[in-house]
Amino acid sequence: MTERLDIRKSEDVVRVRQRVRALALEAGLSLVDQTKIVTAASELARNTLDYGRGGTVDVELVLSPRRGVRLSFVDDGPGIADIELALRDGYTSGGGLGLGLGGAKRLSSEFSIRSAPGEGTTVTIARFK
């Protein structure tokens, strides 16, 4: 079952983290894997808010073929012109450290991104047992 959460204000980032941690526990992920998916979710929720001007995340407990958590962040922001560049450590279009997208990718078992200028961004990640 998929649950959709809004990401419109800073408090929503905290709510996303809490929900993802609960699902990671339910999936039976180890403490290390819980920490990885929660950290990635936090980074992507913050990006959705700050760069995408808000959006949503679909959170899903995956039971088969492997147990885990899948998250899909969607925004209608300005989009990303150069995804390869955006995934590089140190690249930022704002005031951050430039570790968000690349870091989220490294922390995930699965990672996909779809974006284009003027079309918003969709980032889907998963972490499995």
Side-chain angles (χ1 to χ4, degrees):
M1 182 172 132
T2 302
E3 178 183 356
R4 179 164 290 164
L5 303 173
D6 283 330
I7 304 171
R8 303 284 174 208
K9 54 190 185 272
S10 289
E11 295 80 18
D12 294 336
V13 175
V14 174
R15 198 165 39 87
V16 168
R17 287 177 59 91
Q18 291 169 340
R19 187 65 188 123
V20 170
R21 181 165 305 284
L23 283 178
L25 273 168
E26 191 175 339
L29 296 182
S30 70
L31 181 58
V32 169
D33 286 337
Q34 289 174 42
T35 302
K36 287 179 178 182
I37 190 70
V38 170
T39 301
S42 182
E43 289 293 327
L44 294 172
R46 179 57 58 192
N47 282 358
T48 299
L49 182 62
D50 292 347
Y51 303 112
R53 296 179 248 170
T56 61
V57 59
D58 289 342
V59 297
E60 176 186 9
L61 176 65
V62 179
L63 300 175
S64 179
R66 299 182 295 173
R67 293 182 66 88
V69 177
R70 180 172 289 118
L71 310 169
S72 187
F73 294 83
V74 179
D75 69 57
D76 292 319
I80 301 169
D82 188 336
I83 292 172
E84 188 176 318
L85 178 62
L87 286 168
R88 271 194 220 141
D89 285 348
Y91 172 80
T92 180
S93 61
L97 296 174
L99 299 173
L101 280 178
K105 182 177 182 179
R106 286 189 300 279
L107 293 169
S108 302
S109 303
E110 293 178 358
F111 178 93
S112 69
I113 183 169
R114 192 176 71 246
S115 186
E119 295 181 15
T121 301
T122 300
V123 179
T124 302
I125 62 170
R127 187 81 200 175
F128 297 105
K129 217 174 151 175

